């Protein structure tokens, strides 16, 4: 690959700290090299492009180019299911997102998330109770991962005993978003494809079951439709469910893990959080700015030639919006490389913006707030074993693969 | 030298704010933020600490939050002397004193005027006095109306289908109350958004069970022997039995207290420059009197430097911040208030937002979405450029159109967008009513007149 800086960003050896690369990138706010994607790295540009109706999220509007290392791999695997609303434009996007939102958030279900607070607390408490030897904790495997998986299963109405199978599919599909230059693309596509198929079949069975015996979980409500003229086809329902599963997953794991890592690197903040659990609310916002779990959005394409900072981006080009870079743009944030949970001016891009802004944001926020404040409260004198920790391969959904922590004990 | 004067002002000057509501409060907070340490006096004729008005026609009427509970959140401590429940009754510009209705006078070095607007009352005072006839502007209005709606009236009549009137109608329907809306124009919201969008609003009202009557005026209200309203008469000869009437005919600017002061204040508001400094009636800008919020009218470069007055929440905040900044700044440090107008409303479950000045538009194009689905973006064009935009349940795109307005981008937009439908291929006439025919009134007024709106007899000085 010739686009030096892009391949550096994807290069695993830069995973632990991609921020110097982003800084470099911002010197060329509309970066383009050869037949690669157009890369946008400044806050204000990203922010306005996310609201630009000339930009499509649909793959069919993308002119085929060889140079985009993220565009290709994904769409092969998606063949098994129609694209989820993440990859659709309005009006289909709006319709599907609106229907998905009905059982999830206001105005129809304003209390859903708040209503899960006790459930969430229970899961957090249980996981911390079972951490075992306080000297040897892997926060990813023992906490940050099982927590959102358990939660999304409950939300969707996936039976507890099926959770392990879910883990495997979720893992595979999340890995497929990762442009690993070394992997055998064909082999990987096949694995992804199979996982999607299996997951699809599993969900189809579950939906069938829920149609007959509805519960108050989201799948039941989605499957039942709402007696209105709008309802989802089974295929749409499947890809929506798969989307919720994946997105409700990998992102939160990373948010929590990145969060704990940041806290362990900033012990004073950890202490403040222990003393003032309410600090979790602004702190999670700052985390979403400082270490966003979704580093970049690789799937936007202009419907017409557009101009950004004097550069013409041709119709059909692939564009990457580097959210994590915008979040550290000194033209937008003072001292952007400082982690400051008391920061007031914090309109970050961590959850995106515009019509595709994170659907699960209210849940993700609550999960991270509860998880981090409980960990801060209960772990006694926690320390990092390894800094930086080993990262996942994935450059888009970036986060540590393991987070080895040792502490003196676990408070009741 | 000048610096020293400013430093003195900041250290121990006296700043008076008249109008203790949104603009007044945000102005005061900004003054403190900018390092003003002197004495600060907040004068407000309402007995309450600053509260928020938009919820009064929304949550408060639905019983989802009492009108008494809309106090504005404080951004910071302002450490002010509060003179609440007493109106400013006059201004002595030469002596730099504000006169109060209780006879007191308050001296100032800098004055911020944020007296806003009030509801235009029902023109027949005897009828306006009838029990059951309301307007909606203040917290007291909101509380009283909510109580009356709680009591379950048999029919509510809303006169005027502007934003406030439409929101009231929406709240009534949501409560399951029978409601009639009478509007002199051809459709609801027509003064603010034009006939093309007004037609959507009309459909929305009718589908939600509102008895909407357009192109008709209410000619009189009738009370029973106990002084309660019982019926209304219309210009088409019909009449209607109703036990609650909400008069929603727009607003009047609170400038009477400035009559004779020599400030450029009149029925259209107080003229000021782009830096929020008030003009006197000779068209000379003052240095110590600043204006912000609904009561202000200021020239805007995007709209041909015409004077713009806005009844918009966001404008009040932003203009107050600018005014406060400029009050404490050297002339070269002053900032213009060139906010792009932006407004929102919620009614019948639909979120409506606008930017720019739609009412200046002669054409409209449905750039995204569809009117039938009530989810769309309408872009307004004026002389070949984009001048405004409105969204129904589509606000996440609005920022883009705001940028188009700021960039004076060409109209009709020459590019395709996601969600462009067949109906959005061509511009339509925006269909605003003839401005000389009064409707409920838009929330934006543009006027080209020079500072002092009242016409002086021009007598050139003799030699
Ligand atoms: C029911 C309702 C719903 C609204 N909904 C929306 C909405 O959805 N979106 C939106 O953008 N805007 C909305 N608005 C408009 C928004 O509330 C106003 O733009 C905003 O309140 C303006 O603030 P202001 O401080 O300039 O004026 P005001 O809020 O009018 O405050 C002026 C204050 O000065 C006081 N005063 C007047 N004369 C004197 C005097 N001589 N001495 C002392 N005090 C005096 C008044 O009593 C008042 O308290 C709504 C308004 C109402 C009434």
């Amino acid at each position: 690959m010739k686009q030096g800086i892009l391949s550096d960003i994807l290069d695993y050896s830069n995973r632990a700290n991609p921020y110097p690369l982003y800084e470099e990138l911002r010197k060329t706010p509309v970066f383009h090299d050869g037949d690669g994607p157009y890369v946008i790295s400044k806050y204000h540009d990203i922010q306005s492009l996310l609201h630009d109706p000339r930009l499509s999220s649909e793959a069919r509007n993308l002119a085929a180019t060889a140079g985009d290392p993220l565009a290709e791999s994904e769409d092969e695997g998606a063949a098994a299911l129609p694209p989820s609303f993440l990859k659709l434009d309005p009006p289909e996007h709006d319709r599907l997102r609106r229907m998905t939102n009905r059982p999830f958030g206001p105005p129809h279900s304003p209390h859903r998330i708040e209503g899960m607070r006790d459930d969430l607390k229970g899961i957090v408490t249980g996981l911390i109770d079972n951490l075992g030897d306080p000297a040897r904790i892997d926060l990813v495997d023992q906490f940050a991962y099982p927590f959102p998986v358990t939660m999304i299963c409950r939300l969707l109405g996936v039976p507890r005993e099926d959770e392990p199978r879910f883990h495997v599919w979720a893992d595979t599909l999340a890995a497929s978003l990762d442009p690993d230059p070394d992997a055998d693309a064909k082999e990987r596509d096949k694995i992804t494809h199979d996982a999607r198929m299996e997951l699809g079949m599993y969900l189809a069975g579950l939906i069938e079951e829920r149609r007959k015996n509805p519960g108050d979980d989201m799948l039941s409500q989605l499957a039942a439709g709402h007696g209105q003229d709008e309802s989802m086809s089974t295929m749409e329902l499947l890809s929506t469910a798969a989307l919720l599963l994946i997105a409700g997953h990998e992102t939160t794991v990373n948010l929590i893990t990145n969060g704990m890592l940041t806290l362990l690197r900033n012990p004073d903040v950890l202490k403040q959080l222990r003393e003032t659990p309410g600090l979790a609310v602004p702190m999670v916002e700052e985390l979403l700015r400082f270490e966003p779990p979704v580093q970049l959005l690789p799937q936007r394409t202009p419907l017409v030639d557009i101009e950004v900072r004097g550069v013409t981006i041709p119709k059909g080009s692939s564009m990457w919006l580097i959210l994590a870079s915008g979040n550290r743009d000194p033209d937008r944030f003072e001292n952007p490389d400082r982690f400051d949970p008391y920061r007031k001016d914090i309109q970050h891009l961590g959850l995106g913006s515009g019509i595709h802004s994170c659907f699960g944001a209210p849940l993700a926020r609550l999960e991270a707030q509860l998880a981090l404040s409980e960990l801060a409260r209960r772990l006694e004198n926690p320390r990092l074993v390894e800094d930086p920790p080993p990262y996942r391969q994935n450059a888009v959904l970036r986060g540590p693969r393991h987070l080895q922590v040792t502490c003196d004990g676990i408070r009741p | 030298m000048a610096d020293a004067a400013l430093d003195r002002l900041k250290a121990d000057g006296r700043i008076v704010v008249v109008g203790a509501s949104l603009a007044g409060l945000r102005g005061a907070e900004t003054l403190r933020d900018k390092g003003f340490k002197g004495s600060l006096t907040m004068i407000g004729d309402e007995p309450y600490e600053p509260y928020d008005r938009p919820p009064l026609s929304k949550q408060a009427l639905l019983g989802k939050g009492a009108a008494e509970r809309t106090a504005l959140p404080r951004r910071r401590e302002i450490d002010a002397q509060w003179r609440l429940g007493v109106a400013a009754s006059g201004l002595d510009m030469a002596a730099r004193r504000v006169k109060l209705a209780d006879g007191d006078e308050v001296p100032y070095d800098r004055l911020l005027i944020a007296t806003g607007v009030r509801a235009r009352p029902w023109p027949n005072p005897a009828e306006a006095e009838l029990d059951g006839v309301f307007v909606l502007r203040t917290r007291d209005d909101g509380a009283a109306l909510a109580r009356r709606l709680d009591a379950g009236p048999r029919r509510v009549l809303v006169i005027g289908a502007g934003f406030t009137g439409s929101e009231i109608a929406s709240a009534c329907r949501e409560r399951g109350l029978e409601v009639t809306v009478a509007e002199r124009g051809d459709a609801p919201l027509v003064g603010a958004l034009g006939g093309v969008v007004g037609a959507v609003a009309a459909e929305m009202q009718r589908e939600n069970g509102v008895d909407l009557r357009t192109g008709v005026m209410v000619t009189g209200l009738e009370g029973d022997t106990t002084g309660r309203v019982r019926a209304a008469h219309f210009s088409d000869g019909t009449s209607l039995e109703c036990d609650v009437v909400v008069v929603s005919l727009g607003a009047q600017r609170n400038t009477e207290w400035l009559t004779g002061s020599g400030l450029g204040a009149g029925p259209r508001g107080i003229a000021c420059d782009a830096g929020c400094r008030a003009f006197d009636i000779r068209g000379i800008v003052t240095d110590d009197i600043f204006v912000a919020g609904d009561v202000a009218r200021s020239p805007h470069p995007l709209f041909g430097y015409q004077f713009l007055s806005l009844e918009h929440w966001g404008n009040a905040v932003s203009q107050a911040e600018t005014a406060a900044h400029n009050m404490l700044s050297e002339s070269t440090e002053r900032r213009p208030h060139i906010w792009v107008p932006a407004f929102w409303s919620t009614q019948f479950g639909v979120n409506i937002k606008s930017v720019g000045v739609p009412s200046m538009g002669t054409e409209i194009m449905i750039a995204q979405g569809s009117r039938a689905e009530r989810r769309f973006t309408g872009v307004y064009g004026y002389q070949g450029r984009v001048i405004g935009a409105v969204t129904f349940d589509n606000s996440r795109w609005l920022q883009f159109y705001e940028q188009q307005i700021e960039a004076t981008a060409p109209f009709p937009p020459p590019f395709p967008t996601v969600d462009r439908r067949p109906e959005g291929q061509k511009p339509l006439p925006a269909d605003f009513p003839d401005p000389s025919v009064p409707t409920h009134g838009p929330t934006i007024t543009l006027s080209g007149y020079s500072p002092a709106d009242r016409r002086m007899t021009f007598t050139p000085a003799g030699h």
Side-chain angles (χ1 to χ4, degrees), chain B residues 32-315:
Chain B
R32 291 299 190 204
D33 257 353
K34 303 265 171 193
F36 175 64
K37 303 242 166 8
S39 88
L40 183 60
T41 308
M42 305 286 294
I43 300 168
D45 60 359
E46 295 187 75
Y48 310 115
E49 296 215 346
Y51 60 87
D52 212 13
R53 297 178 201 277
L56 297 178
S57 56
K58 304 175 181 81
Q59 294 89 323
L61 290 191
L62 291 171
K64 284 187 186 164
E68 293 84 354
R69 293 262 172 77
T70 70
L72 279 163
R74 299 296 178 89
R75 288 183 181 169
R76 57 164 297 140
E77 202 53 62
I78 58 168
D79 183 24
Q81 282 101 50
W82 293 88
R83 303 290 303 260
L84 295 177
V86 52
S89 55
L91 171 67
D92 184 339
M93 286 170 66
R96 295 189 168 171
R97 298 172 87 82
V98 174
K99 298 176 196 159
L100 301 188
D102 64 6
D104 242 4
E105 294 198 0
V106 192
Y108 65 84
D109 299 307
R110 292 273 191 283
L111 172 65
L112 175 60
I113 301 178
T115 46
V117 303
R118 64 179 181 278
R120 175 170 293 130
W122 183 243
N124 178 326
E127 293 173 10
E129 283 301 305
L130 289 172
D131 183 26
V133 177
F134 296 86
V135 292
L136 181 54
R137 177 80 200 172
T138 66
R139 184 180 132 166
D140 289 345
D141 297 338
L145 179 57
R147 260 198 310 278
R148 192 56 67 89
L149 296 186
D150 278 342
R154 272 167 317 187
R155 178 164 295 271
V156 179
L157 168 66
V158 178
I159 309 177
F163 280 108
T164 307
S166 300
E167 287 176 8
I168 295 166
S170 165
C172 288
R173 288 309 300 148
E174 207 169 309
R175 279 172 173 256
L177 299 172
E178 295 302 326
V179 57
T180 298
V181 172
E183 164 60 42
R184 183 180 202 165
D186 290 334
L189 311 183
V190 68
L193 299 174
V196 173
V197 176
V200 182
E203 214 179 86
M204 210 158 86
Q205 297 212 353
R206 294 205 165 104
E207 257 176 47
N208 281 283
V210 175
D211 167 32
L212 174 66
R213 307 190 182 184
T214 56
V216 69
M217 274 162 41
V218 175
T219 50
L221 302 175
E222 187 189 317
D224 62 16
T225 47
T226 65
R228 288 187 74 126
V229 69
R230 60 168 290 271
H233 302 282
F234 295 92
S235 54
D236 62 4
T238 57
S239 56
L240 177 85
E241 287 196 14
C242 52
D243 39 9
V244 172
V245 173
V246 192
V247 178
S248 204
L249 292 172
Q252 292 173 326
R253 293 181 151 75
N254 292 317
T255 53
E256 291 80 358
W257 67 284
L258 293 163
T259 307
S261 67
L263 201 67
R268 295 185 192 219
I270 305 169
C272 61
D273 72 358
C276 307
R277 294 181 301 174
F279 285 110
D280 71 14
I281 50 166
R282 301 165 303 168
I284 297 175
V285 77
T286 60
D287 246 341
D288 47 359
I289 303 178
F290 291 73
V291 197
D294 284 7
V295 76
R297 49 193 294 247
S298 66
H300 199 304
L302 275 179
F303 309 102
Y305 290 96
Q306 291 195 73
F307 283 88
L308 197 58
S309 18
L310 300 165
E311 292 168 40
H312 292 178
W313 193 94
N315 179 66

Side-chain angles (χ1 to χ4, degrees), chain A residues 152-412:
Chain A
I152 197 77
C153 286
R154 255 184 230 185
L155 183 66
L156 289 177
V158 169
R160 171 167 286 227
E161 59 276 16
D162 294 342
E163 282 180 23
R165 294 166 72 198
F166 249 65
H167 279 230
V168 178
W169 291 320
D171 257 352
T172 313
L173 294 180
S176 79
L177 297 177
D178 171 42
D180 176 0
D182 302 327
D184 175 345
K186 265 226 167 77
E187 174 64 17
R188 224 176 51 147
D189 286 349
K190 187 180 167 344
I191 295 175
T192 310
H193 182 87
D194 291 351
R196 262 192 112 87
M197 285 294 283
E198 281 178 47
L199 174 63
M201 288 184 19
Y202 172 80
L203 286 171
L206 203 57
I207 288 163
E208 220 21 69
E209 158 69 28
R210 287 291 184 279
R211 281 213 166 102
K212 283 183 217 134
N213 299 308
D216 59 3
D217 53 85
M218 268 185 75
L219 268 191
S220 296
Q221 286 164 288
L222 289 173
H226 302 272
Q228 318 222 349
D229 41 5
E230 289 188 322
S231 71
M232 285 191 205
S233 73
T234 301
M235 289 306 267
E236 286 170 342
L237 189 49
L238 285 180
S239 50
T240 302
L243 172 69
L244 295 179
L245 166 70
I246 307 294
H249 227 93
E250 290 301 324
T251 49
T252 322
V253 180
N254 291 338
L255 180 57
I256 294 171
T257 315
N258 291 333
M260 213 41 208
L261 176 61
T262 306
L263 284 172
L264 292 167
R265 285 171 176 169
N266 294 272
D268 48 323
V269 181
L270 183 68
K271 184 165 166 280
Q272 289 155 23
L273 177 61
R274 182 181 319 125
E275 286 156 7
T276 337
L279 183 60
V281 176
M283 195 197 68
V284 165
E285 289 320 295
E286 172 71 343
L287 266 178
L288 284 162
R289 183 192 71 82
F290 189 72
E291 287 277 21
V294 179
Q295 296 267 300
L296 60 105
L297 299 176
Q299 49 199 19
R300 290 289 193 287
T301 183
L303 294 172
V304 60
D305 293 1
I306 63 169
E307 203 183 288
V308 181
R309 286 188 190 250
V311 179
T312 300
I313 304 180
K315 168 181 177 175
S317 316
S318 161
M319 293 176 74
W320 290 9
L321 310 180
I322 317 278
L323 305 177
S325 168
N327 277 351
R328 301 259 191 139
D329 184 348
D331 290 343
R332 175 60 185 84
F333 296 105
E334 260 172 61
N335 277 327
D337 291 321
R338 204 181 105 96
F339 174 68
D340 175 10
Y342 298 97
R343 193 181 284 274
K344 273 195 189 143
D345 173 24
I346 183 156
Q347 282 272 336
H348 58 76
L349 299 169
L351 300 168
S353 189
I355 63 162
H356 290 284
S357 73
C358 176
F359 176 86
L363 179 59
R365 286 191 162 107
L366 186 59
E367 287 180 337
Q369 289 159 8
L370 286 173
L372 293 170
S373 51
E374 273 304 280
L375 287 171
R377 186 177 74 77
R378 296 193 58 191
L379 302 190
E380 218 168 289
N381 187 25
R383 285 145 350 244
L384 270 177
V385 173
E386 196 183 357
D387 192 9
Y391 272 76
R392 288 164 199 275
Q393 179 57 44
N394 205 317
V396 176
L397 306 175
R398 171 182 163 269
R401 173 63 193 92
H402 297 285
L403 194 68
Q404 302 290 345
V405 173
T406 175
C407 60
D408 299 346
I410 292 170
R411 295 189 189 88

Side-chain angles (χ1 to χ4, degrees), chain A residues 76-214:
Chain A
E76 303 291 322
L81 290 175
S84 65
F85 62 76
L86 186 68
K87 295 181 178 185
L88 289 175
D89 292 334
E92 291 77 16
H93 163 274
D94 293 359
R95 181 176 60 89
L96 290 173
R97 182 167 165 140
R98 186 165 60 235
M99 281 189 283
T100 311
N101 195 53
R102 264 196 204 130
F104 185 70
H108 299 274
S109 313
H111 304 300
R112 178 128 221 166
I113 304 298
E114 246 336 276
M116 296 195 323
R117 187 179 277 273
D118 289 341
D119 242 14
L120 290 167
K121 264 200 187 133
I123 303 172
V124 167
T125 305
L127 288 168
I128 298 181
D129 287 345
N130 290 320
L131 282 177
D133 181 356
R136 299 163 47 92
I137 299 171
D138 179 355
L139 264 179
V140 176
D141 284 347
Q142 293 178 262
F143 183 84
Y145 199 71
F147 175 37
V149 179
T150 311
M151 200 53 237
I152 197 77
C153 286
R154 255 184 230 185
L155 183 66
L156 289 177
V158 169
R160 171 167 286 227
E161 59 276 16
D162 294 342
E163 282 180 23
R165 294 166 72 198
F166 249 65
H167 279 230
V168 178
W169 291 320
D171 257 352
T172 313
L173 294 180
S176 79
L177 297 177
D178 171 42
D180 176 0
D182 302 327
D184 175 345
K186 265 226 167 77
E187 174 64 17
R188 224 176 51 147
D189 286 349
K190 187 180 167 344
I191 295 175
T192 310
H193 182 87
D194 291 351
R196 262 192 112 87
M197 285 294 283
E198 281 178 47
L199 174 63
M201 288 184 19
Y202 172 80
L203 286 171
L206 203 57
I207 288 163
E208 220 21 69
E209 158 69 28
R210 287 291 184 279
R211 281 213 166 102
K212 283 183 217 134
N213 299 308

